[in-house]
Amino acid sequence: MLTAYDYSTAKLMDEAEINGILVGDSLGNVILGYEDTISVTMEDMIHHGAAVARGAKNSLVVVDMPFMSYQTSVYDAVVNAGRLMKEGRANAVKLEGGATVAEQIAAITDAGIPVMAHLGLTPQSINAFGGNKVQGKSEEAAKKLIEDALAVQEAGAFAVVLECIPAKLAAIITEKLTIPTIGIGAGAGCDGQILVYQDMLGMFSDYVPKFVKQFADVGTVMKEAFAAYIGEVQDGSYPAEEHTFQINDDVLDKLY
Ligand code: KIV
């Protein structure tokens, strides 16, 4: 899986046969320029979800439930998941948390909306964690993650994202579950992987986590193209003859 937030990128990923596209609330960071995902709204997710869904013909489109759209009550969770599917055209929704949101997962699933869970470093809890820290390193924390993974599976989640946890712990969780695990900073023992696309294309330099591999340096290509464009506009070489529309001389003569 990869994240995407717009039509054109989703279309390229779909053509590259990426299995699943997550419209992540990471759009708060990489699209909207916030420091974290806390301020992302339902309207943001619906707007970007629908754009991605228009571009993704075959890939599964999962849309993130933003902060406070499901924590407040089971009722809110079902209503907001419904909006993400109805207005945001999601095939499935993703929410963060374990046993504490199991009731929400069960109710959303009962409403016919597939739910992907998300455990480990869950960015909506950044203030509770005190920063972007690897999770599940102590015996107590590791056991809690295993319990949470089993709880979200029991509640009906069809898959679970494991973010920023030790690789060996992720492999144990993957072995214990019957649903697929999708790792991000969780090693190769997960069933699948996900990355934020700006990270793997070298387009976002504010914060690059250790687990990111840069598969292309698109950021540099973009900056070079922007500089070439302004250079050619300033020296008059762009637009050239081939970029220009013509008009018949007899029409022109009548304009003087
Ligand atoms: O919002 C997001 O992009 C995510 C992924 C990092 C899994 O939740």
Side-chain angles (χ1 to χ4, degrees):
M1 296 184 72
L2 286 170
T3 67
Y5 317 93
D6 69 278
Y7 170 79
S8 311
T9 310
K11 206 167 166 210
L12 290 170
M13 288 179 187
D14 196 67
E15 285 164 10
E17 298 186 5
I18 295 295
N19 300 134
I21 300 178
L22 172 70
V23 187
D25 61 355
S26 52
L27 74 83
N29 308 89
V30 295
I31 300 294
L32 302 175
Y34 298 141
E35 271 184 19
D36 51 44
T37 60
I38 301 298
S39 303
V40 174
T41 64
M42 277 294 295
E43 275 58 42
D44 292 331
M45 297 314 301
I46 288 168
H47 181 72
H48 290 273
V52 166
R54 287 191 285 274
K57 297 287 168 254
N58 299 305
S59 307
L60 180 83
V61 176
V62 182
V63 179
D64 257 344
M65 299 198 70
F67 184 54
M68 284 298 128
S69 67
Y70 58 94
Q71 292 94 339
T72 43
S73 70
V74 171
Y75 176 82
D76 285 350
V78 176
V79 170
N80 286 321
R83 286 192 69 200
L84 292 177
M85 187 172 253
K86 215 170 164 164
E87 301 168 53
R89 303 302 303 170
N91 299 129
V93 298
K94 177 168 80 57
L95 53 76
E96 298 180 4
T100 52
V101 290
E103 267 190 78
Q104 279 91 330
I105 293 174
I108 296 169
T109 307
D110 282 349
I113 302 166
V115 178
M116 180 176 273
H118 185 163
L119 296 171
L121 176 56
T122 45
Q124 291 175 16
S125 301
I126 188 158
N127 291 303
F129 291 146
N132 290 319
K133 297 178 182 151
V134 178
Q135 301 295 306
K137 289 184 89 167
S138 69
E139 181 186 338
E140 190 191 359
K143 280 185 174 158
K144 172 86 170 57
L145 270 177
I146 294 171
E147 280 164 24
D148 278 336
L150 291 167
V152 297
Q153 172 175 276
E154 175 69 22
F158 75 92
V160 56
V161 169
L162 300 176
E163 178 164 357
C164 252
I165 66 171
K168 286 185 178 165
L169 174 60
I172 291 172
I173 294 174
T174 302
E175 210 168 285
K176 284 184 183 286
L177 296 186
T178 53
I179 58 172
T181 57
I182 312 293
I184 174 163
C190 296
D191 295 302
Q193 297 291 326
I194 182 162
L195 282 175
V196 170
Y197 91 84
Q198 284 88 345
D199 287 342
M200 57 89 75
L201 292 184
M203 293 169 66
F204 187 75
S205 55
D206 290 8
Y207 171 68
V208 183
K210 176 186 170 175
F211 56 77
V212 169
K213 176 174 174 183
Q214 199 178 300
F215 285 79
D217 189 3
V218 174
T220 300
V221 172
M222 287 173 81
K223 273 191 273 183
E224 284 172 0
F226 298 150
Y229 165 70
I230 188 66
E232 289 193 22
V233 170
Q234 283 172 342
D235 71 18
S237 56
Y238 178 82
E241 188 70 18
E242 67 265 30
H243 310 119
T244 308
F245 302 105
Q246 305 304 327
I247 186 171
N248 285 337
D249 285 347
D250 53 343
V251 176
L252 263 189
D253 288 345
K254 297 199 176 93
L255 302 180
Y256 292 107

